[in-house]
Amino acid sequence: METPALAPPTPPTNAKRQEAERRVAVRHVSSQEAVSRPLDLQDTLSWGAQVRDVSLGGIALIVCYPFKPGTYLAIEIQGVPTAARPLLARVIHAEDQADGTWAVGCEFLKPLTPSDVEPLV
C-alpha cells in the first residue's frame, strides 16, 4: 500500500502581510496631514506627519523623526474640524523607510469610534 504524497509546504508570505492580517480593526487608508509631538516634552518642537492609515485602535504615520517604541504622542490632524482635540497614542514600532522617513505605528490610548474615524479618511 502506497503512502499518499504530501503537498509541499507553501512558502511563507511576507511577514508584514501576515501581521496585517492579525489586526483586530480594519485599517482605512488616509492622506491627512498631521502634527505630532511627544507628551513627555511639553516645550518641544512638533513634527509634521502624513497619516498613512487609521483604525479604531491605532494610526500609522510617516514622519521624519524616529520616535522610539513606548513614546506617547499627541497627534493633531490638520484641516479636520471635528478632530479639534489631539489624539493620544503610544508608539508601537518605527521602521526606517528607503526615502529617509520613518513609518511609525501607534496605538490609541482610548480607541476611536467609527464616527471619529470617518473624517480622518
Side-chain angles (χ1 to χ4, degrees):
M1 180 173 205
E2 286 186 38
T3 324
L6 297 175
T10 52
T13 58
N14 183 333
K16 290 181 184 178
R17 181 172 290 160
Q18 287 176 346
E19 178 182 326
E21 299 303 322
R22 294 183 308 194
R23 292 180 177 152
V24 175
V26 174
R27 296 260 173 185
H28 303 279
V29 175
S30 178
S31 60
Q32 298 287 341
E33 296 290 325
V35 175
S36 59
R37 67 176 171 77
L39 289 178
D40 60 347
L41 302 172
Q42 295 299 324
D43 296 330
T44 189
L45 294 174
S46 294
W47 298 91
Q50 177 78 38
V51 179
R52 185 170 67 184
D53 59 56
V54 64
S55 72
L56 299 177
I59 190 166
L61 303 171
I62 302 297
V63 295
C64 63
Y65 184 80
F67 292 112
K68 293 180 182 178
T71 302
Y72 289 92
L73 298 177
I75 303 165
E76 297 175 24
I77 309 299
Q78 305 297 295
V80 179
T82 56
R85 62 175 168 71
L87 301 171
L88 303 179
R90 182 173 59 94
V91 175
I92 301 300
H93 63 83
E95 296 178 12
D96 190 9
Q97 304 296 292
D99 65 358
T101 61
W102 293 81
V104 176
C106 303
E107 173 183 56
F108 292 127
L109 300 186
K110 178 183 174 192
L112 300 181
T113 65
S115 61
D116 292 332
V117 171
E118 188 175 318
L120 304 178
V121 295

